[in-house]
Amino acid sequence: GIGRAYLSKNIHLENMEYYAVLKVAKSFDIPAAGIFIVINYCDENAHKDFIDNHKEAMRRLTKYMKESK
C-alpha cells in the first residue's frame, strides 16, 4: 500500500492539510514554510496521545517561535 511506498522513500510522516496549504500558496506564488511537532501516530492510542502531548507541543512551539524572531 501507500505506507510501504512512503517508507521505501524514507518518508515516515505525512500531513494532508499542510500539503493543501502548500498547493494553494504555490498557486498564488506565496512563500510558505512549516514547523511541525509530532504528538501522535495513527494507531489505537492516537486520540489519547494527542490529548496527553498537546500542551507540551504548544509549549515547545511557542518557545521556538519566540527564539526565532
Side-chain angles (χ1 to χ4, degrees):
I2 191 87
R4 285 193 191 111
Y6 280 0
L7 292 175
S8 74
K9 303 227 181 268
N10 204 28
I11 299 170
H12 297 272
L13 302 168
E14 63 83 21
N15 185 305
M16 297 180 302
E17 295 81 7
Y18 186 64
Y19 179 79
V21 168
L22 289 179
K23 291 296 280 186
V24 171
K26 182 178 180 181
S27 70
F28 288 97
D29 293 321
I30 300 170
I35 302 166
F36 299 92
I37 300 171
V38 177
I39 58 176
N40 69 299
Y41 297 95
C42 295
D43 61 16
E44 64 278 356
N45 300 314
H47 184 70
K48 181 184 180 316
D49 291 344
F50 176 86
I51 299 298
D52 291 347
N53 296 320
H54 186 265
K55 191 173 192 174
E56 175 64 15
M58 293 301 98
R59 185 193 69 73
R60 290 182 187 199
L61 180 58
T62 301
K63 181 177 184 255
Y64 175 83
M65 292 172 62
K66 286 180 179 178
E67 291 175 354
S68 297
K69 287 185 178 182

